[in-house]
Amino acid sequence: MTITAIIVAAGKGERAGGAVPKQYATLGGKSLLAHAVTAFAAHQAIDRIIVVVGEGQADLAVAALGGLVVDHIVVGGAERQQSVAAGIAAAPDADMLLIHDAARPFIPPLVIDRLIAALADQDGAVPALRMADTLARGPAILGDVVDRTDLFRIQTPQAFRAEVIRAAHRQWSGPAATD
């Protein structure tokens, strides 16, 4: 059973501002990307790590990794879905894939454990957090409050049986998927 972590670091980070995309920004002397890679590299169940970068970001990623070794650095696409597909293509022999956003640096080992365990009888699993904040609908003025009883924030990593996520990417014909 081969478990591969795909860390997507191909974004431009425009919403965050700053001199470099947020996945390459530092926190505690280490890039967010390096923190994410370290979490997966330290986990005993992870066999391979693939980092997906944006066009022209390979050198930036290598520098941000600060000597950490990954199995592959591949170039992604203009949309997250294209970048994830590039990571999946770089893991043809993986049985399970954990797809993670490099801008989320801290992944507790227990989350990885639970995701892998969920794949024993599910095709996919995601970490989900209940909504705690009040949500309101409206363009600029506080409008109707949204009932948050059944709302969740979906996190990464997201875990899949590899053949299922590969098939989903092949069959997708809708607009660009975000997660």
Side-chain angles (χ1 to χ4, degrees):
M1 177 78 48
T2 302
I3 303 174
T4 299
I6 297 171
I7 302 175
V8 183
K12 296 176 185 171
E14 294 170 333
R15 289 179 302 183
V20 296
K22 64 184 172 183
Q23 62 271 27
Y24 303 121
T26 58
L27 178 64
K30 207 159 125 175
S31 72
L32 297 184
L33 172 61
H35 282 290
V37 167
T38 299
F40 285 104
H43 197 282
Q44 73 283 356
I46 303 301
D47 298 303
R48 294 190 186 100
I49 299 173
I50 296 169
V51 174
V52 183
V53 300
E55 187 71 43
Q57 292 181 353
D59 290 341
L60 187 57
V62 169
L65 288 169
L68 291 172
V69 176
V70 297
D71 294 279
H72 299 288
I73 295 177
V74 298
V75 176
E79 301 288 339
R80 185 179 194 279
Q81 181 178 349
Q82 295 166 327
S83 295
V84 170
I88 292 169
D93 61 343
D95 298 299
M96 294 181 186
L97 295 168
L98 276 67
I99 302 168
H100 186 64
D101 182 346
R104 297 177 192 252
F106 304 115
I107 310 105
L110 182 59
V111 170
I112 296 171
D113 291 340
R114 287 180 175 170
L115 289 167
I116 292 169
L119 294 182
D121 61 0
Q122 300 295 319
D123 290 336
V126 299
L129 303 173
R130 288 198 173 278
M131 287 298 302
D133 298 328
T134 297
L135 301 174
R137 192 177 322 276
I141 299 174
L142 183 62
D144 296 331
V145 173
V146 177
D147 180 7
R148 61 184 179 227
T149 304
D150 294 323
L151 296 178
F152 294 86
R153 295 182 311 143
I154 303 304
Q155 303 284 295
T156 65
Q158 297 165 353
F160 302 94
R161 292 184 189 182
E163 72 275 2
V164 172
I165 193 67
R166 285 185 191 108
H169 273 263
R170 282 192 307 271
Q171 295 168 10
W172 184 259
S173 62
T178 55
D179 268 347

